[in-house]
Each structure stands twice: as structure tokens, then as C-alpha cells.
Amino acid sequence: MNQTPQKPKRQILFYYVIVIIIMILINLFLIPSLGRQQTEEIPYSDFLSLLDAKRVLQAKVDSTSITFAAELGNNIRVYETGRMEDPELVDRMLAAGVEFTQDVPTQVSPLLQLLLYWVAPMALFILVGQLLMRYVTKNMNGGNGFMSLGKSNAKVYMESQTGKSFADVAGEDEAKAALQEIVDFLHNPMKYKDIGARMPKGALLVGPPGTGKTLLAKAVAGEAKVPFFSISGSEFVEMFVGMGAARVRDLFKQAQEKAPCIVFIDEIDAVGKKRDAGMIGGNDEREQTLNQLLAEMDGFDSSKGVVILAATNRPDSLDQALLRPGRFDRRIPVELPDLAGREAILKVHAKGVRTSSEINYHDVALATSGTSGAELANIINEGALLAVREGRKQVEQKDLEEAIETVIAGYQRKGAVILPDEKKVISYHEIGHALVAARQSSSAPVHKITIIPRTSGALGYTMQVEEDEHYLMTRDEIVNKITTLTAGRAAEELVFHEITSGASNDIEQATKLARMMITRLGMSSQFDMTALESVQNAYLGGDTSLICSEDTASAIDLEVMKIIQKCHDKAMEILTNNVTVLHQLAQYLLEKETITGDEFMDILNKCDAEKEQSAPNVVSASAE
Ligand code: ADP
Ligand code: MG
Ligand code: ZN
């Protein structure tokens, strides 16, 4: 909602016109009448007769009038009469015994009068007006360039010491190296000045949520031991036009007073979005704020030691003007942690937790591929909570493993009652996945299989954990993955001749993978290396949109179907060839509810050995 208040200039003009009118009225009527008492005007002749009757007690003779007190009956009243040219007046009054005076013309000098009657009230009104305006602008539009009075009430958070250092940030070595230079500059700006090097005014931290961007910015301030100003981009965007711009101005003013320091604008995409003409009317407020930000960044002198950091997970949506040299010219990627990074992050967060010395963080890191630093921190905390819940004094490996599942799939729904028939179906479904995974080469080993339902809605799942961190995926690996995904449904079909809704998530994932192969990975013979989809917001889920003709789109659909069909058939074939061990494993899982990868492989290997004795060649035939 945007509310544009009346233009302040017109408002204040209006106010002054009213003030002047009021003052004229006061000067015309009120002030002159103040001096006058309740007097009654009477003719001069009446005055004379009263005088002769010795009724007049006191008189004050002015140049034009005579004010006098006279006794009438029992009360004394004050009268006024115009003064006439009367040489005998003094004699008459003396004769009547009147106490009389002539007013010494205490005529205030015209200058003083002007000052008293006009200038002083005017000044008073202007003062009140100013105060009023200040109040109004502060509460309605933050100054708006007109009389920038005082500070906007921007929610700027200033920390003199963040208490964070690079040691708190695990992994992210490249980002830390890039930021180290900024720290060095804040420590020793002269070194850079002497040689004539210009420090970048700002650095932009980009990466998916939870990878430690905010943490890194704080660590830079902590390392450099300088104050840290932080404000979130969304806090700039206010209800009233001009407020955001005032906040930006204020932020930079405060920062320059406290230099050297760090200004951190979190989630800068809230203000820094591209200013496109597409939107009708646009967003005035945001644009104004952005313009102010750009102007401030140009305006300040970075040699004083103000460094601006900003963070975003939508770098592609930022206005180009923000990224040009002299503004956020440094872009520091903060990516999801790799295997070593995850292990290091786990260890950093485990420091504050009492843990068993036997915990193998490498294993935990292996099982958490694709998670962010924030999720890893959460896993450690969930593990600690679990240990407390079970009344243990320290966190053990199994707590962390359960915590991984909690973070990935939600809490166990221990109370959920699943009918025995359904449980059986789920059991076969999961073993179907695991068995097909195990029977294919280049497929991640099965780590755990469970049919305990989770709060995420999963009724069971098969966890596969890679032995190493992979950066590439071969075509075979992807196809095998799709095959594994279709195997749950295949097992249901094979054993129960009936299909259930339990495969919905598998279907979704398999389709996504098959689509990606064709549209983005160039893994289909039909389209070769053509890009058919583009990714938006790579850091936020990676939504895609088609960039091809409608004909191609339907051809893609056909190709996707073909791939999945083929994989489904292959899964069916593998299961058909291994139906004995499928029954055995499913029965075992049904009893135990959760089995480890080792238990699974034991049964599988034992079965294979028996099979080999009776029919030597079946296994190798079904393995492909
Ligand atoms: P972002 O700003 O990138 O969304 P944050 O900096 O807010 O992420 O990170 C959230 C939390 O996750 C941090 O407070 C910290 O506990 C944890 N975290 C994230 N990345 C790391 C890391 N590399 N090392 C240690 N802790 C991390
Ligand atoms: Mg953040
Ligand atoms: Zn499944």
C-alpha cells in the first residue's frame, strides 16, 4: 500500500497564509481593545455637567480623549469622552477637586511596536509551524528532501563488537580469503592509500539461504574490530514514499560518523531489484530508495574506512547499476558446503555441545550432501535435544543420524497407527527401491531403510549415501537413479498386482530428473546439446522455464515418458529376477521396521550365495 501525502511545500504555504490572517485580526481587534476598560462613551457636555456637579473623582486627559471615573448614585463608573479645545478645562477640574493627570506619551517607538505586535508572534508561529512540520514529515514521509529535520527512525542495528570471527565460519575458504583483504584494509587503510590503491566500496555476498552470508559479514566486522551497522533490505521499503530514502541517508550519515566501520545490507534484493518499466506505475518507494542508495554509495569517501557489505540469494534480480564498479563491484560467492566444509561446520557447532568422542563427523557429512550450514547447525542441535530426551549426558552418533532424518524428513510419527496390510505394502515398496539400487552398478550404497512414518508425510524411505563427494554425474548414474525411483511402484505391482498412491514423491523426482536430462544436460539423442529450459533463481530451488517452441515442448514430454517407461521396465525386470530375496527382505523389514545398510547387504549376500550353489549364472545375468 502506498500513500502519497499532499506535497509538503503547498501544505506549509497554506499554513503561513492562515497565520498571517490570524495575526492581522489580532492586531486589528484584540490588541487595541486590550488597553480599553469597560467604559461608556458620553458627550462632552455630560462630562461638564458631571464635573460641575462634583461627581467626577479622577480623570486622565489624553490628547484626544478624557477618561474619567464618576460617581453615579452609589456606584463608580468609568466614562470616556472626546476632548475638546477647552482652555478652561484645567480650571474647572481644579474647581471640582478632581484628581487629574495627563498621560505622558509613553508612545513605544514604532520599531518596538512592530517587533512586539508583528515580529514576535510571527516568530512564535513559525517556530510552532516548524515543529509541526518536523513531526509530520517524520511520521509521514521521512523528510522527502524538504527540511530534512533530525533522524529518521530507521531500524539500524549497531553493534560495536559482533563477537564473531572467521573461526566461527567453517569451510567457505574462498569467501574468507576474499574478505580478508577488506579486514586488512580496515586495519591499515594507509597501506592502501600510500600506493594509490582504491578499495572496493562494497562487496556482495551471494549464495543460497543458510550458507553463512550474514555470519561472514559479522565475522569481517569482528576480525577488523570495527562497528557493524546492519539493516535488512525489507526494512527500507516502507509504507510511505520517501521513508526508505531517508533511512538510507541516515544509515550512511551514522556510518560515516563512526568510520571505520562496516555497513551490512541483508537481503538487498528487497530494494535492489531491477527497475523495470514493466510494472504499471512502478514502485516509487523502492526506486527512490534504490536511487538514494546508489547516490550515497557514490557520495562517500571509501578511504575513510566505510565498507559496505550486502547479501542476497537472488543476484540475477539485482539492478545492474548496483553492480557496476564503484558500488558492489566485488561479488563473493558463498556456496553450499562441500564434504570437507560440512564436516568442519559440524565440528564448529559441536564445540558448544557435549559429544561422545566416538562420533564420526565424516560419516555425518557424507549423509548430508546438499545441506546448508544452517541445516547442519540444526542437525547438531536436534541431536543434542534427542540426547536430552533420552536422558543421556552426551550426544552420540545415533542421535546425529536420527537428527539428519529429522531435518530431512521431519520427526517420527510414533503414534501413527498403520494397518498391517498397508505396512506390508510400504515394506515391499521400500525394499523395491533398495534392492534395485543394490543390483545396479554406479548407484549409491543403501544406508538405511525404514518404514516408520515421518511428519513430512513420508511413510517410509530408503536412504542412500554416496561413498565420496561427487561433482559430476554420468548419464548412467542418472538413469540408475530414475530406475531406483520407479522400483517402489514396481515392487507393489509385482507382488500385489495393485498400485498405490505411495509413489507420488518418487514420480515427481523421477520426472524432474528425466526432464533435466533432456532440457538442460544435453543427454538425449533427439535434442543433442540444445538448452531447452533456463533456470531462474539458481539459489532458491531453481525454478525453470521452457525456452523452446510448443512443438519441441511436446516432443520433450514424449522423450521424458520414454525414459521413465524404460527405467520402470528395467526396475520390474530386476525385481522379477530377485523376487525370492525381495520377499525375504520385505519380511525382515516388516518385523524390524528399521534396518541398516549392513543388515540389508548381509541378507542379500547370503541369498546370493545360496542361489549361486543352485544356479551359478543367474546373479550376473540380473545384475545388468
Ligand atoms: P545466510 O545469511 O546465508 O542465509 P546465515 O549466516 O544467517 O545464513 O546462517 C545461519 C546460521 O547457520 C548461522 O548463524 C550459523 O549458525 C550457521 N552457519 C551457516 N553457515 C555456516 C558456516 N559456514 N560455518 C558455521 N556455521 C554456519
Ligand atoms: Mg542471512
Ligand atoms: Zn518410494
Side-chain angles (χ1 to χ4, degrees), residues 236-267:
F236 282 131
V237 184
E238 286 285 333
M239 207 153 95
F240 297 111
V241 174
M243 196 71 164
R247 288 193 169 175
V248 172
R249 238 189 334 267
D250 212 55
L251 176 66
F252 278 82
K253 208 172 113 216
Q254 284 186 48
Q256 259 157 321
E257 281 163 12
K258 284 267 172 21
C261 67
I262 287 187
V263 174
F264 178 55
I265 305 171
D266 212 348
E267 321 284 348

PDB file of all heavy atoms in Angstrom, residues 236-267:
ATOM      1  N   PHE A 236      13.941  -1.115   4.515  1.00  0.00           N
ATOM      2  CA  PHE A 236      13.995   0.141   3.771  1.00  0.00           C
ATOM      3  C   PHE A 236      12.662   0.440   3.104  1.00  0.00           C
ATOM      4  O   PHE A 236      12.304   1.574   2.864  1.00  0.00           O
ATOM      5  CB  PHE A 236      15.032   0.063   2.658  1.00  0.00           C
ATOM      6  CG  PHE A 236      16.438   0.233   3.143  1.00  0.00           C
ATOM      7  CD1 PHE A 236      17.420  -0.639   2.761  1.00  0.00           C
ATOM      8  CD2 PHE A 236      16.772   1.294   3.964  1.00  0.00           C
ATOM      9  CE1 PHE A 236      18.722  -0.468   3.186  1.00  0.00           C
ATOM     10  CE2 PHE A 236      18.066   1.467   4.398  1.00  0.00           C
ATOM     11  CZ  PHE A 236      19.043   0.580   4.003  1.00  0.00           C
ATOM     12  N   VAL A 237      12.000  -0.614   2.751  1.00  0.00           N
ATOM     13  CA  VAL A 237      10.789  -0.436   1.967  1.00  0.00           C
ATOM     14  C   VAL A 237       9.618  -0.237   2.918  1.00  0.00           C
ATOM     15  O   VAL A 237       9.159  -1.148   3.559  1.00  0.00           O
ATOM     16  CB  VAL A 237      10.558  -1.647   1.056  1.00  0.00           C
ATOM     17  CG1 VAL A 237       9.352  -1.418   0.178  1.00  0.00           C
ATOM     18  CG2 VAL A 237      11.782  -1.892   0.206  1.00  0.00           C
ATOM     19  N   GLU A 238       9.210   1.013   3.005  1.00  0.00           N
ATOM     20  CA  GLU A 238       8.207   1.366   3.993  1.00  0.00           C
ATOM     21  C   GLU A 238       6.907   1.714   3.326  1.00  0.00           C
ATOM     22  O   GLU A 238       6.786   1.764   2.115  1.00  0.00           O
ATOM     23  CB  GLU A 238       8.706   2.563   4.799  1.00  0.00           C
ATOM     24  CG  GLU A 238       9.790   2.182   5.769  1.00  0.00           C
ATOM     25  CD  GLU A 238       9.250   1.434   6.977  1.00  0.00           C
ATOM     26  OE1 GLU A 238       8.074   1.655   7.314  1.00  0.00           O
ATOM     27  OE2 GLU A 238       9.991   0.628   7.556  1.00  0.00           O
ATOM     28  N   MET A 239       5.963   2.001   4.161  1.00  0.00           N
ATOM     29  CA  MET A 239       4.640   2.291   3.650  1.00  0.00           C
ATOM     30  C   MET A 239       4.609   3.630   2.925  1.00  0.00           C
ATOM     31  O   MET A 239       3.926   3.796   1.937  1.00  0.00           O
ATOM     32  CB  MET A 239       3.677   2.336   4.814  1.00  0.00           C
ATOM     33  CG  MET A 239       2.290   2.003   4.425  1.00  0.00           C
ATOM     34  SD  MET A 239       1.446   1.320   5.823  1.00  0.00           S
ATOM     35  CE  MET A 239       0.666   2.741   6.466  1.00  0.00           C
ATOM     36  N   PHE A 240       5.369   4.584   3.408  1.00  0.00           N
ATOM     37  CA  PHE A 240       5.264   5.918   2.842  1.00  0.00           C
ATOM     38  C   PHE A 240       6.436   6.232   1.928  1.00  0.00           C
ATOM     39  O   PHE A 240       7.566   5.876   2.212  1.00  0.00           O
ATOM     40  CB  PHE A 240       5.200   6.961   3.953  1.00  0.00           C
ATOM     41  CG  PHE A 240       3.997   6.792   4.798  1.00  0.00           C
ATOM     42  CD1 PHE A 240       4.108   6.369   6.100  1.00  0.00           C
ATOM     43  CD2 PHE A 240       2.738   7.013   4.267  1.00  0.00           C
ATOM     44  CE1 PHE A 240       2.988   6.193   6.876  1.00  0.00           C
ATOM     45  CE2 PHE A 240       1.619   6.839   5.037  1.00  0.00           C
ATOM     46  CZ  PHE A 240       1.743   6.426   6.345  1.00  0.00           C
ATOM     47  N   VAL A 241       6.126   6.897   0.884  1.00  0.00           N
ATOM     48  CA  VAL A 241       7.152   7.266  -0.074  1.00  0.00           C
ATOM     49  C   VAL A 241       8.152   8.203   0.591  1.00  0.00           C
ATOM     50  O   VAL A 241       7.772   9.141   1.282  1.00  0.00           O
ATOM     51  CB  VAL A 241       6.511   7.951  -1.293  1.00  0.00           C
ATOM     52  CG1 VAL A 241       7.576   8.464  -2.238  1.00  0.00           C
ATOM     53  CG2 VAL A 241       5.592   6.989  -1.994  1.00  0.00           C
ATOM     54  N   GLY A 242       9.403   7.903   0.376  1.00  0.00           N
ATOM     55  CA  GLY A 242      10.434   8.794   0.896  1.00  0.00           C
ATOM     56  C   GLY A 242      11.065   8.302   2.179  1.00  0.00           C
ATOM     57  O   GLY A 242      12.176   8.662   2.511  1.00  0.00           O
ATOM     58  N   MET A 243      10.349   7.463   2.881  1.00  0.00           N
ATOM     59  CA  MET A 243      10.847   6.949   4.158  1.00  0.00           C
ATOM     60  C   MET A 243      12.119   6.135   3.949  1.00  0.00           C
ATOM     61  O   MET A 243      13.097   6.297   4.668  1.00  0.00           O
ATOM     62  CB  MET A 243       9.775   6.061   4.770  1.00  0.00           C
ATOM     63  CG  MET A 243       9.999   5.785   6.213  1.00  0.00           C
ATOM     64  SD  MET A 243       9.686   7.239   7.169  1.00  0.00           S
ATOM     65  CE  MET A 243       9.548   6.530   8.781  1.00  0.00           C
ATOM     66  N   GLY A 244      12.083   5.246   2.975  1.00  0.00           N
ATOM     67  CA  GLY A 244      13.235   4.384   2.709  1.00  0.00           C
ATOM     68  C   GLY A 244      14.454   5.206   2.371  1.00  0.00           C
ATOM     69  O   GLY A 244      15.554   4.964   2.874  1.00  0.00           O
ATOM     70  N   ALA A 245      14.260   6.209   1.527  1.00  0.00           N
ATOM     71  CA  ALA A 245      15.379   7.057   1.122  1.00  0.00           C
ATOM     72  C   ALA A 245      15.969   7.767   2.332  1.00  0.00           C
ATOM     73  O   ALA A 245      17.187   7.880   2.468  1.00  0.00           O
ATOM     74  CB  ALA A 245      14.901   8.068   0.084  1.00  0.00           C
ATOM     75  N   ALA A 246      15.093   8.206   3.224  1.00  0.00           N
ATOM     76  CA  ALA A 246      15.571   8.884   4.426  1.00  0.00           C
ATOM     77  C   ALA A 246      16.391   7.935   5.288  1.00  0.00           C
ATOM     78  O   ALA A 246      17.387   8.309   5.886  1.00  0.00           O
ATOM     79  CB  ALA A 246      14.392   9.421   5.227  1.00  0.00           C
ATOM     80  N   ARG A 247      15.953   6.690   5.300  1.00  0.00           N
ATOM     81  CA  ARG A 247      16.683   5.705   6.090  1.00  0.00           C
ATOM     82  C   ARG A 247      18.071   5.462   5.522  1.00  0.00           C
ATOM     83  O   ARG A 247      19.046   5.324   6.254  1.00  0.00           O
ATOM     84  CB  ARG A 247      15.921   4.394   6.128  1.00  0.00           C
ATOM     85  CG  ARG A 247      14.716   4.530   6.990  1.00  0.00           C
ATOM     86  CD  ARG A 247      14.092   3.217   7.313  1.00  0.00           C
ATOM     87  NE  ARG A 247      13.110   3.478   8.354  1.00  0.00           N
ATOM     88  CZ  ARG A 247      12.284   2.581   8.831  1.00  0.00           C
ATOM     89  NH1 ARG A 247      12.319   1.369   8.372  1.00  0.00           N
ATOM     90  NH2 ARG A 247      11.430   2.905   9.762  1.00  0.00           N
ATOM     91  N   VAL A 248      18.127   5.390   4.214  1.00  0.00           N
ATOM     92  CA  VAL A 248      19.432   5.177   3.583  1.00  0.00           C
ATOM     93  C   VAL A 248      20.360   6.329   3.939  1.00  0.00           C
ATOM     94  O   VAL A 248      21.505   6.127   4.358  1.00  0.00           O
ATOM     95  CB  VAL A 248      19.281   5.067   2.051  1.00  0.00           C
ATOM     96  CG1 VAL A 248      20.644   5.042   1.383  1.00  0.00           C
ATOM     97  CG2 VAL A 248      18.495   3.830   1.681  1.00  0.00           C
ATOM     98  N   ARG A 249      19.831   7.557   3.805  1.00  0.00           N
ATOM     99  CA  ARG A 249      20.631   8.735   4.107  1.00  0.00           C
ATOM    100  C   ARG A 249      21.156   8.678   5.538  1.00  0.00           C
ATOM    101  O   ARG A 249      22.324   8.924   5.811  1.00  0.00           O
ATOM    102  CB  ARG A 249      19.741   9.973   3.972  1.00  0.00           C
ATOM    103  CG  ARG A 249      20.260  10.970   2.975  1.00  0.00           C
ATOM    104  CD  ARG A 249      19.529  12.279   2.980  1.00  0.00           C
ATOM    105  NE  ARG A 249      18.159  12.277   3.445  1.00  0.00           N
ATOM    106  CZ  ARG A 249      17.099  12.144   2.653  1.00  0.00           C
ATOM    107  NH1 ARG A 249      17.258  11.982   1.365  1.00  0.00           N
ATOM    108  NH2 ARG A 249      15.885  12.173   3.146  1.00  0.00           N
ATOM    109  N   ASP A 250      20.243   8.313   6.401  1.00  0.00           N
ATOM    110  CA  ASP A 250      20.563   8.265   7.814  1.00  0.00           C
ATOM    111  C   ASP A 250      21.629   7.231   8.127  1.00  0.00           C
ATOM    112  O   ASP A 250      22.574   7.484   8.864  1.00  0.00           O
ATOM    113  CB  ASP A 250      19.282   7.880   8.539  1.00  0.00           C
ATOM    114  CG  ASP A 250      19.229   8.499   9.880  1.00  0.00           C
ATOM    115  OD1 ASP A 250      19.354   9.728   9.921  1.00  0.00           O
ATOM    116  OD2 ASP A 250      19.088   7.759  10.852  1.00  0.00           O
ATOM    117  N   LEU A 251      21.439   6.069   7.513  1.00  0.00           N
ATOM    118  CA  LEU A 251      22.376   4.970   7.727  1.00  0.00           C
ATOM    119  C   LEU A 251      23.787   5.400   7.352  1.00  0.00           C
ATOM    120  O   LEU A 251      24.739   5.198   8.096  1.00  0.00           O
ATOM    121  CB  LEU A 251      21.933   3.775   6.880  1.00  0.00           C
ATOM    122  CG  LEU A 251      22.819   2.537   6.887  1.00  0.00           C
ATOM    123  CD1 LEU A 251      22.811   1.917   8.272  1.00  0.00           C
ATOM    124  CD2 LEU A 251      22.319   1.519   5.881  1.00  0.00           C
ATOM    125  N   PHE A 252      23.904   6.041   6.194  1.00  0.00           N
ATOM    126  CA  PHE A 252      25.231   6.429   5.731  1.00  0.00           C
ATOM    127  C   PHE A 252      25.806   7.560   6.570  1.00  0.00           C
ATOM    128  O   PHE A 252      27.010   7.632   6.776  1.00  0.00           O
ATOM    129  CB  PHE A 252      25.188   6.802   4.252  1.00  0.00           C
ATOM    130  CG  PHE A 252      25.254   5.586   3.369  1.00  0.00           C
ATOM    131  CD1 PHE A 252      24.117   4.854   3.111  1.00  0.00           C
ATOM    132  CD2 PHE A 252      26.455   5.165   2.828  1.00  0.00           C
ATOM    133  CE1 PHE A 252      24.170   3.715   2.328  1.00  0.00           C
ATOM    134  CE2 PHE A 252      26.516   4.031   2.044  1.00  0.00           C
ATOM    135  CZ  PHE A 252      25.367   3.304   1.788  1.00  0.00           C
ATOM    136  N   LYS A 253      24.934   8.422   7.039  1.00  0.00           N
ATOM    137  CA  LYS A 253      25.408   9.515   7.877  1.00  0.00           C
ATOM    138  C   LYS A 253      25.981   8.964   9.174  1.00  0.00           C
ATOM    139  O   LYS A 253      27.088   9.326   9.587  1.00  0.00           O
ATOM    140  CB  LYS A 253      24.260  10.488   8.169  1.00  0.00           C
ATOM    141  CG  LYS A 253      24.749  11.906   8.401  1.00  0.00           C
ATOM    142  CD  LYS A 253      23.589  12.878   8.492  1.00  0.00           C
ATOM    143  CE  LYS A 253      23.476  13.439   9.870  1.00  0.00           C
ATOM    144  NZ  LYS A 253      22.132  13.675  10.342  1.00  0.00           N
ATOM    145  N   GLN A 254      25.222   8.067   9.771  1.00  0.00           N
ATOM    146  CA  GLN A 254      25.694   7.469  11.018  1.00  0.00           C
ATOM    147  C   GLN A 254      26.989   6.711  10.801  1.00  0.00           C
ATOM    148  O   GLN A 254      27.901   6.767  11.619  1.00  0.00           O
ATOM    149  CB  GLN A 254      24.650   6.492  11.555  1.00  0.00           C
ATOM    150  CG  GLN A 254      23.475   7.154  12.199  1.00  0.00           C
ATOM    151  CD  GLN A 254      22.576   6.103  12.830  1.00  0.00           C
ATOM    152  OE1 GLN A 254      23.041   5.226  13.530  1.00  0.00           O
ATOM    153  NE2 GLN A 254      21.290   6.189  12.565  1.00  0.00           N
ATOM    154  N   ALA A 255      27.039   5.981   9.697  1.00  0.00           N
ATOM    155  CA  ALA A 255      28.216   5.157   9.437  1.00  0.00           C
ATOM    156  C   ALA A 255      29.452   6.031   9.269  1.00  0.00           C
ATOM    157  O   ALA A 255      30.529   5.713   9.771  1.00  0.00           O
ATOM    158  CB  ALA A 255      27.989   4.300   8.203  1.00  0.00           C
ATOM    159  N   GLN A 256      29.287   7.151   8.556  1.00  0.00           N
ATOM    160  CA  GLN A 256      30.453   7.991   8.312  1.00  0.00           C
ATOM    161  C   GLN A 256      30.969   8.636   9.595  1.00  0.00           C
ATOM    162  O   GLN A 256      32.159   8.878   9.727  1.00  0.00           O
ATOM    163  CB  GLN A 256      30.140   9.046   7.260  1.00  0.00           C
ATOM    164  CG  GLN A 256      30.713   8.625   5.916  1.00  0.00           C
ATOM    165  CD  GLN A 256      30.008   9.272   4.761  1.00  0.00           C
ATOM    166  OE1 GLN A 256      28.794   9.429   4.779  1.00  0.00           O
ATOM    167  NE2 GLN A 256      30.761   9.653   3.759  1.00  0.00           N
ATOM    168  N   GLU A 257      30.049   8.830  10.531  1.00  0.00           N
ATOM    169  CA  GLU A 257      30.487   9.375  11.813  1.00  0.00           C
ATOM    170  C   GLU A 257      31.301   8.354  12.593  1.00  0.00           C
ATOM    171  O   GLU A 257      32.170   8.708  13.376  1.00  0.00           O
ATOM    172  CB  GLU A 257      29.268   9.792  12.652  1.00  0.00           C
ATOM    173  CG  GLU A 257      28.689  11.118  12.221  1.00  0.00           C
ATOM    174  CD  GLU A 257      27.275  11.339  12.741  1.00  0.00           C
ATOM    175  OE1 GLU A 257      26.833  10.568  13.625  1.00  0.00           O
ATOM    176  OE2 GLU A 257      26.610  12.265  12.241  1.00  0.00           O
ATOM    177  N   LYS A 258      30.976   7.083  12.369  1.00  0.00           N
ATOM    178  CA  LYS A 258      31.607   6.035  13.167  1.00  0.00           C
ATOM    179  C   LYS A 258      32.772   5.355  12.428  1.00  0.00           C
ATOM    180  O   LYS A 258      33.278   4.346  12.902  1.00  0.00           O
ATOM    181  CB  LYS A 258      30.566   4.971  13.530  1.00  0.00           C
ATOM    182  CG  LYS A 258      29.617   5.400  14.627  1.00  0.00           C
ATOM    183  CD  LYS A 258      30.148   4.954  15.957  1.00  0.00           C
ATOM    184  CE  LYS A 258      29.424   5.471  17.170  1.00  0.00           C
ATOM    185  NZ  LYS A 258      28.089   5.942  17.092  1.00  0.00           N
ATOM    186  N   ALA A 259      33.148   5.849  11.276  1.00  0.00           N
ATOM    187  CA  ALA A 259      34.175   5.195  10.465  1.00  0.00           C
ATOM    188  C   ALA A 259      35.477   5.042  11.256  1.00  0.00           C
ATOM    189  O   ALA A 259      35.790   5.907  12.071  1.00  0.00           O
ATOM    190  CB  ALA A 259      34.441   6.007   9.202  1.00  0.00           C
ATOM    191  N   PRO A 260      36.243   3.982  11.070  1.00  0.00           N
ATOM    192  CA  PRO A 260      35.973   2.877  10.156  1.00  0.00           C
ATOM    193  C   PRO A 260      34.904   1.933  10.688  1.00  0.00           C
ATOM    194  O   PRO A 260      34.853   1.671  11.879  1.00  0.00           O
ATOM    195  CB  PRO A 260      37.326   2.159  10.082  1.00  0.00           C
ATOM    196  CG  PRO A 260      37.977   2.462  11.380  1.00  0.00           C
ATOM    197  CD  PRO A 260      37.516   3.828  11.779  1.00  0.00           C
ATOM    198  N   CYS A 261      34.094   1.466   9.787  1.00  0.00           N
ATOM    199  CA  CYS A 261      33.034   0.549  10.194  1.00  0.00           C
ATOM    200  C   CYS A 261      32.518  -0.223   8.985  1.00  0.00           C
ATOM    201  O   CYS A 261      32.936   0.031   7.858  1.00  0.00           O
ATOM    202  CB  CYS A 261      31.889   1.332  10.834  1.00  0.00           C
ATOM    203  SG  CYS A 261      31.053   2.382   9.672  1.00  0.00           S
ATOM    204  N   ILE A 262      31.620  -1.142   9.267  1.00  0.00           N
ATOM    205  CA  ILE A 262      31.037  -1.938   8.200  1.00  0.00           C
ATOM    206  C   ILE A 262      29.535  -1.701   8.173  1.00  0.00           C
ATOM    207  O   ILE A 262      28.879  -1.703   9.214  1.00  0.00           O
ATOM    208  CB  ILE A 262      31.350  -3.428   8.411  1.00  0.00           C
ATOM    209  CG1 ILE A 262      32.826  -3.653   8.078  1.00  0.00           C
ATOM    210  CG2 ILE A 262      30.452  -4.306   7.565  1.00  0.00           C
ATOM    211  CD1 ILE A 262      33.250  -5.070   8.067  1.00  0.00           C
ATOM    212  N   VAL A 263      29.035  -1.444   6.988  1.00  0.00           N
ATOM    213  CA  VAL A 263      27.589  -1.322   6.812  1.00  0.00           C
ATOM    214  C   VAL A 263      27.130  -2.574   6.094  1.00  0.00           C
ATOM    215  O   VAL A 263      27.654  -2.910   5.039  1.00  0.00           O
ATOM    216  CB  VAL A 263      27.243  -0.086   5.962  1.00  0.00           C
ATOM    217  CG1 VAL A 263      25.755  -0.049   5.668  1.00  0.00           C
ATOM    218  CG2 VAL A 263      27.673   1.176   6.669  1.00  0.00           C
ATOM    219  N   PHE A 264      26.183  -3.272   6.682  1.00  0.00           N
ATOM    220  CA  PHE A 264      25.730  -4.518   6.076  1.00  0.00           C
ATOM    221  C   PHE A 264      24.254  -4.425   5.719  1.00  0.00           C
ATOM    222  O   PHE A 264      23.406  -4.168   6.569  1.00  0.00           O
ATOM    223  CB  PHE A 264      25.972  -5.676   7.047  1.00  0.00           C
ATOM    224  CG  PHE A 264      25.503  -7.005   6.527  1.00  0.00           C
ATOM    225  CD1 PHE A 264      25.942  -7.476   5.305  1.00  0.00           C
ATOM    226  CD2 PHE A 264      24.627  -7.790   7.264  1.00  0.00           C
ATOM    227  CE1 PHE A 264      25.516  -8.699   4.816  1.00  0.00           C
ATOM    228  CE2 PHE A 264      24.192  -9.018   6.786  1.00  0.00           C
ATOM    229  CZ  PHE A 264      24.642  -9.472   5.562  1.00  0.00           C
ATOM    230  N   ILE A 265      23.960  -4.610   4.456  1.00  0.00           N
ATOM    231  CA  ILE A 265      22.568  -4.592   4.000  1.00  0.00           C
ATOM    232  C   ILE A 265      22.183  -6.022   3.651  1.00  0.00           C
ATOM    233  O   ILE A 265      22.614  -6.558   2.635  1.00  0.00           O
ATOM    234  CB  ILE A 265      22.389  -3.664   2.789  1.00  0.00           C
ATOM    235  CG1 ILE A 265      22.902  -2.261   3.124  1.00  0.00           C
ATOM    236  CG2 ILE A 265      20.925  -3.616   2.383  1.00  0.00           C
ATOM    237  CD1 ILE A 265      22.975  -1.347   1.933  1.00  0.00           C
ATOM    238  N   ASP A 266      21.399  -6.624   4.519  1.00  0.00           N
ATOM    239  CA  ASP A 266      20.999  -8.010   4.313  1.00  0.00           C
ATOM    240  C   ASP A 266      19.824  -8.053   3.338  1.00  0.00           C
ATOM    241  O   ASP A 266      19.036  -7.118   3.288  1.00  0.00           O
ATOM    242  CB  ASP A 266      20.606  -8.623   5.659  1.00  0.00           C
ATOM    243  CG  ASP A 266      20.934 -10.111   5.710  1.00  0.00           C
ATOM    244  OD1 ASP A 266      21.247 -10.676   4.647  1.00  0.00           O
ATOM    245  OD2 ASP A 266      20.885 -10.688   6.801  1.00  0.00           O
ATOM    246  N   GLU A 267      19.720  -9.138   2.604  1.00  0.00           N
ATOM    247  CA  GLU A 267      18.605  -9.317   1.657  1.00  0.00           C
ATOM    248  C   GLU A 267      18.429  -8.077   0.787  1.00  0.00           C
ATOM    249  O   GLU A 267      17.340  -7.508   0.716  1.00  0.00           O
ATOM    250  CB  GLU A 267      17.297  -9.604   2.403  1.00  0.00           C
ATOM    251  CG  GLU A 267      17.414 -10.500   3.612  1.00  0.00           C
ATOM    252  CD  GLU A 267      17.583 -11.971   3.274  1.00  0.00           C
ATOM    253  OE1 GLU A 267      17.392 -12.336   2.099  1.00  0.00           O
ATOM    254  OE2 GLU A 267      17.955 -12.741   4.163  1.00  0.00           O
TER     255      GLU A 267
END
